[in-house]
Structure formats: C-alpha cells, structure tokens
C-alpha cells in the first residue's frame, strides 16, 4: 500500500464517528473595519505604513520622476533595478545606471545593486501592507528582496483597498504574491526590534495621484 | 518526533531545574509579558475579533471533518500548478523523501526557513547523516543552531538567550559554518543582526535547494503560504532552483477566501502586529520567477492518530501562533525546554502527547504541565479548549483505554506512577458510598491529627512534595453540624 493510501485510509477511519455535514461555514466577521471615505482610506494607509517604519511620500504624476530622483540621490545609489514594465517616465529624471533584471543575472549580481523601484498590485489600508504580484511593473520576486532599498509606487486611490478580505478578492492566487508591511524586521534578540536582517532595510512608499486614467 | 529531545526528563524534573535559573526566568518573564501586552492591543483594534475567532474555528473544524477530500483536492491543484506531491506517513519516511530529493539535485547543502514540521521530524539531523548540511536562516534559529541548542519558543526560539550569550555564540561558532563574525562584534542587537545578515547572505546567494514549511495550504488553488518577518523566508522560497516544502496535513484550508480569516488572526496573535512584514504565497512554479522545481511533502506523523480522538482532535486546529505560551503561568516559569518537545507551552502539552503517544515518561507528564487556569483557551485565535484536552489526556494517562497509534486501534495500559492516585480515587469512591464508614474514618482522622505527618510517605510523597498537606479539623463538619444545629438545620 502506498503512503498516500495509508494516510488517506487513516484519515477516513479516524473520521468514522463524525457527521459529514456540508453546511457552509458561517462568516459573521466584517468585510472592513469602520466606514471610511476613499480619502480617509488613503490617510489610514499612510499612517499604518509609517507606523511600521516605512517612509511615506506623496506626489502627483508630474512630481513623481523628480521625487524618485531625489530619493535615489539621497541614498547615493549608483545602480537601480527596474522591472521590465515600469512606466519609463517614472525614471525620466533619475541619474543612476538602470539595471534590468535579466534571466541570466545571478543573485550575486543583484546583490551589487543598491536600489529597486517598482509599482504594486494593491495596498491594504487597515494593515499598512503593499502587495506585489509579479506584474510587469513589479518584476520577479527576487528584485524586491536582494537590494537593500525598495521604492514602491502606489497609485492612489485606485490601488488602495480597505481590508484583508477585500485584498484577497482582488488578487489572483495563481500568481506568486509578496505581501510587504514595512521593512524587513526581527525581534529575536531580547525582543529589540531591528530593521533587517535579510530583506530591504529601507522601504519607501510613494503615494501617487493623478496618474494615467484619471 | 525529533531525536533532539530524546532522553529529556519528565516535565516536573526539567521544570524544577528551570525554575531555579533566575536568568532564564527573567528573560522569559520579560518576553512573555511584553508580547502579551502588545497582543492585547493588536486584538483590541479589531472589533470583530470574536467573530473572526469563531470563523477560524469553524473553517478548521470543517476542513478536519473532510480532510480526506481536501487533501486529494490539494494534491490535484498542486500538480496542476507544476508541483510534485509526496506523502509521508511518519518522520522517517518524510526524512527519506527529502534526503532523496536533495541528493537528486546533486547538492550537499540546503537553506531552510524556520519550520516547526521539519524540527518535529528531525530533518536537519537526518540530512546531516546523509552528508547534507542544512542551514537555518531565521535569526533565532541560527542562534539555536550555532549554539548547538534547542528552540524554547515557537515564535522566538532563542528567547532564553540574552545578547551577551548571542555575541559569544556568534564569535565562537560562525567561522565553523561560513563567514566568521566581524572583528570586535559587540552585543548590540543591530550589530548582531548585521553579522547574521552577512553570514547568511553568502548562503542564500549560492543556494540551489531551499526547504520550508508552510502556514497554510489552499486545497482549491494549490497555494502555499509562508508568513514571516525577516525576509529569510522570501530568500529560501525564491532564490533556489528547487524548493521542498514539508507540511503537516492539518495545515490545509479549503478555499483562497479562507485566508482572509487567518491572515487577520495569525499576525495579531503571534507577533502582535496588524500584519507581519512579509507574507509569501506560491502556487506550484511560475515560469521565470522563483524555483523551477517544487516538491510538497504531506506529513502525517501522528496527525491522523490525533484526528481519531474525538476530544483531542481540536488540537489540529492550531495555527502555531504561540499566544498560549505567552499567557501561560507555567510556561513563563518553566521555559520551553522543560516540555521536551518542539511544541512547548500549553499547545505542546496537548499536541506532543497526541502526536507521539503517552508511552514515554515525558509525554505522560505533559498533560500535568498546567494549572488548568484557562488563559490559553481565552487567548487562542482558533478557540482550542486546551484545558479540556489536558483533562482528557490526564484521564487517559491514569486510566489507559482505547487509542489509535499509527493508524491502529490499541488499548493503552494505565501509565506507571499513577497507582497511588488510582488507589486513592477508588478508596474515595468506596468511602463516599458508605456514610457510616466515612463518619468513622473522619472521626479517627480528627482524633489522630496530632500525629499526622507534614508530608505523605510512600507513593504519596510526589504529591506532597509541592503541596501543603491540608490540616484535618479537630471535629468533622458532620459532627459539628449535629452538635450545634442539633440536626435540625434548614438543609434542603
């Protein structure tokens, strides 16, 4: 007998006494917490991002390239990773050498890059979370992981949802998803919170208004 | 379960030693009280906590009731998404499968994201025996591994260590495993974390094989979920070419939507955050992004035996948040090592004896590692009635009875060392059924009270070793009642 049959057989015998009702699970919880206007949702996102030590910036579509340029310059980044589908105008003012994430590039090569700029799939106001789904403006999972500095652009308000349930509704489970709430952090040493250890130690989120389609 | 804990003394012995260590107690008290207070605040923020808790409980119960169906569905979904599914009935089989899969890649080292399941089966030791080095990459797990130590907490495994000890471990051991600790390393947490970052990055960037567990597996879509803070999880899940995930069968949830409950309750209950810094989900493999080969090893290892117990099966609802550890007055003083298991604290006291059976001294002692105060039940985000299961397991230890072990129904003998308890209970039962004998016995006890010992002799010594023997009154209550009320009280 294969282990598959053995385990499934054990499960079935273990459940012999159990009524196999098929009633749907009752869900008495809320779809979102509190009633907020669109603008209030964006404010809450900004507040919760900052509470988790992400650096929050705001810009309109015209100011965005200058802001990205300034943030990269402040870090002194010489090389910046960009996903293939990043709107080119975002980087129009930036000086650093643009590195594209090629399939052949090794993790070691990525490790030499100081910063990465991406978009996102959506952001969750109640938890201060940005979610990446590997879309063309976000790139592969590794590019937002290896460099120490991540600049993420969130189009507000249309990429902002209120809550976790609303986020799951909009996301595609077949894509690889990365939910990010603040920079990498650890509390393993006497519960002292330290930014790092492994992911980007600096997360900058730009809430941008007035982009295409508005 | 893991060989790591073989030979551990029973809980009372280990706890007694731990309670005598003031550094350990100080570290634990600080940790549990800090997390506890933060958690209460994080939970208060959510007005529908009770409803989320109830839904979480119901989703897990529903899944367990149809576990066969959902496991088959999960297998199909993972396959359809490009993964390969393996089934492991016990720890040895799981270790053999993972060892073979690593060997087939031709690699001799793997990077690991913290996983309770692989600790439970002793995977690192099994790989080591096959000449494969497994690197733990969670900072706390790294401290534990370098210190040749055991984890003592589910969420913060090195919480029993203070910063000075950690610095000493890094200085002494890092060079054995790879990049040495920087010269002049001090004991500030930021510097220690930086040392770990440099040490581990070397391993991440060259790793070809990653090993993980998972917090959830979605049957409907075949999606696996890992929840973490440091990014070491993301490293292990995306940089290697091959990813092997070892996951207990009870981690299944039916639908994608079900995650909306647990992604709200787990972070708040464990790290006391609205959301943990990183959550990764993956469904099989994705072209050009992340591992090209994905294996899922579905682990039984005592879970189906636990499922067969109508009272104890609720322990399988556990989402490993560790909230019960932080509120437990016993854990706070005895520490994680005293439980002799990778699952310490209240949940460990019910999970370990069910997964492993109550055959060993340590497992038979675990249902007693509690004051039954009920705080663990109050705090549990999936409402596991831990005290109920503890009492149920105590009964099983003392009386024996039918249980399922490795899929077979067996009758358990009463555990040794409880003969006095059983004899006392039988005697009490006999006496309460015979009022005359009870009265006579009480009178004898009252009159001889001057000669009563302070501690019990013989088999009763264990009981009175930690308790005051109650003083017998000068006059039995029934005699006093008869004398003062003349038997004409208002008794109804």
């Amino acid at each position: 007998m294969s282990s598959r049959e053995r385990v499934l057989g054990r499960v079935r015998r273990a459940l012999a006494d159990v009524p196999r009702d098929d009633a749907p699970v009752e869900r008495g919880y809320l779809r979102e917490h509190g009633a907020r206007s669109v603008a209030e949702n964006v404010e809450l996102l900004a507040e919760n991002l900052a509470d988790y030590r992400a650096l929050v910036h705001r810009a309109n579509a015209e100011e965005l390239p200058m802001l990205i340029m300034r943030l990269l310059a402040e870090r002194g980044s010489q090389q910046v990773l960009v996903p293939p589908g990043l709107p080119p105008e975002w980087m129009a003012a930036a000086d650093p050498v643009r590195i594209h994430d090629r399939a052949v590039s090794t993790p070691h090569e990525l490790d030499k890059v100081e910063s990465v700029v991406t978009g996102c799939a959506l952001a969750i106001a109640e938890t201060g979370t940005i979610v990446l789904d590997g879309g063309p403006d976000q790139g592969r999972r590794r590019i937002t992981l290896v460099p120490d500095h991540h600049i993420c652009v969130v189009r507000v308000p249309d990429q902002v949802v209120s809550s976790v349930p609303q986020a799951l509704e909009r996301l595609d489970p077949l894509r690889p998803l990365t939910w990010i709430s603040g920079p990498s952090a650890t509390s393993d040493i006497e519960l002292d919170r330290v930014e790092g250890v492994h992911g980007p130690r600096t997360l900058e989120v730009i809430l941008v208004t007035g982009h295409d389609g508005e | 379960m893991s060989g790591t804990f073989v030979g551990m003394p029973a809980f009372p012995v280990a706890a007694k030693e731990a309670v005598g260590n003031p550094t350990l107690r100080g570290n634990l008290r600080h940790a549990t009280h800090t997390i506890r207070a933060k958690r209460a605040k994080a939970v208060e923020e959510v007005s529908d906590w009770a409803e989320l808790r109830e839904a979480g409980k119901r989703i897990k119960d529903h899944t367990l009731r149809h576990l066969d169906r959902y496991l088959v569905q999960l297998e199909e979904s993972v396959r359809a998404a490009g993964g390969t599914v393996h089934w492991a009935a016990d720890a040895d089989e799981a270790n053999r499968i993972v060892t073979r899969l690593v060997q087939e890649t031709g690699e001799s080292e793997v990077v690991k994201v913290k996983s309770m399941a692989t600790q439970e089966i002793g995977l690192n030791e099994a790989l080591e025996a096959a000449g494969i080095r497994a690197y733990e990459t969670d900072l706390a797990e790294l401290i534990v591994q370098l210190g040749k130590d055991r984890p003592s907490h589910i969420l913060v495994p090195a919480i029993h260590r203070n910063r000075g000890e950690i610095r000493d471990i890094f200085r002494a051991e890092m060079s054995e495993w790879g990049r040495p600790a920087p010269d002049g390393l001090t004991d500030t947490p930021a510097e220690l974390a930086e040392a770990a970052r440099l040490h581990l990055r070397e391993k991440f960037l060259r790793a070809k094989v990653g090993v993980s567990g998972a917090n959830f597996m979605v049957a409907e879509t075949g999606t696996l979920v890992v929840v973490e803070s440091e990014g070491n999880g993301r490293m292990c899940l995306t940089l290697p070419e091959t990813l092997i995930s070892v996951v207990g069968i009870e981690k299944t949830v039916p639908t994608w939507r079900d995650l909306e409950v647990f992604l709200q309750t787990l972070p708040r209950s464990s790290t006391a955050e609205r959301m943990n810094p990183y959550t990764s989900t993956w469904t099989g493999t994705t072209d050009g992004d992340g591992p090209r080969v994905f294996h899922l090893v579905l682990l039984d290892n005592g879970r189906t035996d636990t499922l067969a117990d109508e009272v104890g099966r609720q322990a399988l609802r556990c989402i490993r948040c560790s909230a019960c550890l932080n509120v437990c007055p016993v854990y706070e003083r005895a520490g994680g090592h005293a439980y002799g298991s990778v699952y310490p604290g209240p949940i460990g006291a019910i999970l370990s004896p069910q997964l492993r059976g109550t055959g060993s001294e340590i497992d038979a002692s675990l249902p007693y590692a509690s004051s039954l105060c009920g705080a663990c039940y109050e705090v549990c985000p999936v409402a596991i009635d831990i005290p109920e299961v503890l009492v149920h397991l105590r009964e099983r230890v003392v009386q024996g009875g039918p249980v399922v072990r490795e899929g077979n129904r067996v009758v358990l003998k009463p555990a040794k060392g409880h003969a006095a308890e059983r004899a006392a209970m039988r005697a009490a039962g006999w006496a309460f059924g015979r009022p005359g004998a009870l009265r006579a016995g009480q009178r004898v006890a009252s009159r001889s009270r001057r000669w009563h010992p302070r501690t019990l002799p013989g088999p009763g010594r264990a009981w009175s070793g930690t308790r005051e023997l109650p003083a017998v009154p000068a006059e039995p209550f029934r005699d006093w009642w008869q004398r003062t009320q003349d038997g004409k009280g208002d008794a109804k």
Side-chain angles (χ1 to χ4, degrees):
Chain A
M1 187 167 42
S2 73
S3 291
R4 178 182 190 276
E5 296 316 311
R6 184 173 300 133
V7 174
L8 285 173
R10 286 179 186 177
V11 171
R12 287 176 188 129
R13 283 198 302 282
L15 294 171
D17 69 304
V18 179
R20 303 279 192 120
D21 66 86
D22 253 338
V25 171
E26 276 176 50
R27 294 170 195 268
Y29 52 89
L30 304 169
R31 302 304 298 166
E32 62 183 307
H33 297 90
R36 287 179 298 275
S37 67
V38 171
E40 284 168 337
N41 240 2
V42 173
E43 284 314 303
L44 182 64
L45 172 68
E47 203 179 292
N48 284 338
L49 281 165
D51 194 33
Y52 277 28
R53 306 195 200 183
L55 307 173
V56 182
H57 310 274
R58 293 159 201 258
N60 61 36
E62 277 131 55
E63 296 159 345
L64 182 63
M66 290 302 283
L67 177 58
I68 290 177
M69 182 198 77
R70 180 167 66 77
L71 296 179
L72 291 171
E74 280 170 5
R75 291 275 304 191
S77 293
Q78 301 297 312
Q79 301 189 52
V80 56
L81 259 170
V82 289
L86 197 80
E89 64 273 18
W90 289 7
M91 299 296 292
D95 298 326
V97 178
R98 255 160 268 174
I99 308 285
H100 294 274
D101 177 37
R102 293 169 303 127
V104 291
S105 57
T106 64
H108 277 105
E109 286 167 332
L110 293 181
D111 196 29
K112 299 195 184 84
V113 177
E114 290 114 336
S115 299
V116 56
V117 180
T118 71
C120 70
L122 55 82
I124 308 168
E126 284 183 7
T127 59
T129 305
I130 52 175
V131 183
L132 310 185
D133 69 357
D137 61 344
Q138 299 149 54
R140 288 189 272 181
R141 283 172 280 174
R142 63 185 204 173
I143 70 167
T144 52
L145 173 63
V146 181
D148 203 16
H149 177 220
H150 179 193
I151 298 174
C152 181
V153 178
V154 183
R155 297 174 166 98
V156 298
D158 31 312
Q159 284 191 317
V160 184
V161 299
S162 249
S163 63
V164 171
Q166 290 177 359
L168 283 161
E169 256 168 29
R170 267 174 62 164
L171 292 166
D172 177 0
L174 299 181
R175 304 184 77 111
L177 303 177
T178 306
W179 298 42
I180 300 170
S181 310
S184 161
T186 182
S187 301
D188 279 342
I189 302 167
E190 295 181 22
L191 296 181
D192 264 3
R193 190 175 168 104
V194 178
E195 257 87 79
V197 189
H198 306 299
R201 282 178 287 194
T202 309
L203 172 67
E204 306 207 58
V205 180
I206 304 176
L207 306 178
V208 63
T209 52
H211 41 83
D212 293 347
E214 276 209 354
Chain B
M1 258 193 189
S2 166
T4 330
F5 292 94
V6 164
M8 282 293 288
F11 183 83
V13 179
K16 200 163 188 176
E17 197 189 312
V19 168
N21 177 345
T23 313
L24 175 75
R25 260 178 36 211
N27 290 355
L28 281 170
R29 193 188 144 75
H30 169 65
T32 54
H33 283 247
T34 307
I35 304 177
R36 200 192 295 183
K38 270 183 71 193
R39 181 198 164 274
K41 230 177 105 201
V43 167
E44 255 172 42
E45 266 188 27
V46 195
S47 55
D48 58 343
W49 185 258
E51 288 79 13
L52 284 167
R53 183 177 186 244
E54 183 64 22
K57 173 188 173 192
R58 287 182 185 214
I59 290 168
K60 282 283 188 172
D61 275 349
H62 169 85
T63 316
L64 291 172
R65 271 206 291 274
H66 301 276
L67 190 59
D68 46 345
R69 193 176 91 204
Y70 286 124
L71 285 173
V72 170
Q73 189 188 10
L74 173 73
E75 181 185 40
E76 280 166 15
S77 315
V78 170
R79 258 192 212 144
T84 309
V85 178
H86 311 261
W87 299 70
D90 56 27
D92 285 345
E93 188 174 16
N95 288 332
R96 276 200 306 275
I97 293 169
V98 178
T99 305
R100 176 173 56 77
L101 292 172
V102 178
Q103 282 167 341
E104 281 171 7
T105 65
E107 294 296 315
S108 59
E109 58 179 37
V110 302
V111 287
K112 282 186 67 199
V113 45
K114 174 176 184 283
S115 139
M116 300 304 295
T118 60
Q119 270 174 26
E120 176 190 317
I121 62 174
L123 178 65
N124 291 6
E125 292 79 6
L127 290 174
E128 185 82 54
I132 299 162
R133 253 194 171 183
Y135 297 116
E136 292 292 348
T137 62
D138 172 83
L139 175 56
E141 289 291 341
L142 174 74
I143 295 165
V144 168
Q145 187 174 43
L146 292 178
K148 300 179 186 66
D149 195 0
R150 296 171 186 147
S152 64
H153 191 285
I154 291 176
L155 175 71
V156 275
I159 200 63
H160 57 291
R161 298 284 197 184
N162 59 34
R163 58 187 72 188
E165 294 175 301
I166 295 167
R167 179 204 51 208
D168 295 344
I169 291 170
F170 279 11
R171 278 184 181 169
E173 303 293 336
M174 267 187 171
S175 57
E176 283 289 302
W177 292 77
R179 184 178 175 135
D183 288 338
L185 178 68
T186 74
D187 66 357
T188 59
E191 263 194 54
L192 295 169
E194 175 73 16
R197 179 185 177 96
L198 295 170
H199 178 81
L200 286 170
R201 186 154 282 226
E202 220 180 40
K203 299 188 164 65
F204 287 132
L205 296 182
R206 68 164 189 248
K208 297 280 187 283
V209 185
V211 173
S212 84
N215 294 88
F216 307 101
M217 305 186 284
V218 182
E220 171 190 48
T221 58
T223 308
L224 270 76
V225 183
V226 161
V227 168
E228 49 125 6
S229 297
E230 295 174 7
N232 63 306
R234 293 181 63 194
M235 292 274 184
C236 294
L237 300 171
T238 54
L239 293 186
E241 288 165 9
T242 302
L243 172 61
I244 304 168
S245 301
V246 182
V247 190
I249 51 175
E250 84 285 10
K251 295 292 184 81
T252 314
V253 297
T255 67
W256 176 247
R257 185 187 173 189
D258 293 326
L259 293 176
E260 71 190 19
V261 175
F262 302 109
L263 289 181
Q264 292 191 77
T265 52
L266 177 57
R268 287 180 202 266
S269 287
S270 61
T271 53
E273 293 169 300
R274 290 182 199 110
M275 188 62 81
N276 48 288
Y278 296 129
T279 299
S280 299
T281 78
W282 70 102
T283 307
T285 52
T286 304
D287 279 343
D289 186 357
R292 286 176 307 182
V293 180
F294 169 55
H295 294 280
L296 171 61
V297 181
L298 293 172
L299 178 72
D300 179 347
N301 202 35
R303 284 158 177 78
T304 50
D305 293 343
T306 309
L307 189 64
D309 187 310
E310 70 280 9
V311 178
R313 64 168 61 117
Q314 59 183 304
L316 297 176
R317 292 205 294 259
C318 177
I319 54 173
R320 314 280 190 261
C321 72
S322 77
C324 62
L325 276 63
N326 302 322
V327 295
C328 178
V330 176
Y331 174 87
E332 182 186 321
R333 288 163 181 83
H337 290 154
Y339 293 80
S341 152
V342 296
Y343 304 107
I347 187 63
I350 63 168
L351 201 52
S352 304
Q354 294 203 84
L355 294 177
R356 306 191 292 203
T358 47
S360 73
E361 204 188 342
I362 174 87
D363 287 313
S365 73
L366 284 177
Y368 294 87
S370 167
S371 62
L372 299 180
C373 76
C376 48
Y377 171 54
E378 291 300 316
V379 84
C380 177
V382 284
I384 301 170
D385 193 341
I386 295 177
E388 183 191 14
V389 182
L390 284 167
V391 171
H392 170 71
L393 293 175
R394 286 181 188 190
E395 189 181 306
R396 177 189 292 173
V397 167
V398 173
Q399 296 190 344
V403 291
V404 176
R405 292 309 307 157
E406 294 177 8
N408 301 312
R409 209 155 265 284
V410 293
V411 177
L412 206 67
K413 281 191 206 139
K416 283 181 208 153
H418 292 272
E421 203 175 330
R422 273 196 305 282
M425 284 300 155
R426 264 200 301 275
W430 183 88
F432 285 127
R434 290 166 180 76
L438 182 63
R439 185 176 303 128
Q442 284 177 330
R443 283 179 184 158
V444 170
S446 285
R447 279 169 207 152
S448 62
R449 60 200 287 262
R450 263 198 294 163
W451 298 287
H452 289 184
R454 302 295 298 272
T455 55
L456 289 171
R461 190 177 295 139
W463 190 89
S464 59
T466 49
R467 296 171 181 87
E468 292 285 326
L469 208 55
V472 175
E475 182 182 22
F477 173 78
R478 286 141 59 108
D479 287 2
W480 171 84
W481 183 264
Q482 202 74 32
R483 182 168 58 79
T484 57
Q485 309 289 316
D486 200 20
K488 282 183 266 170
D490 201 14
K492 278 183 183 168

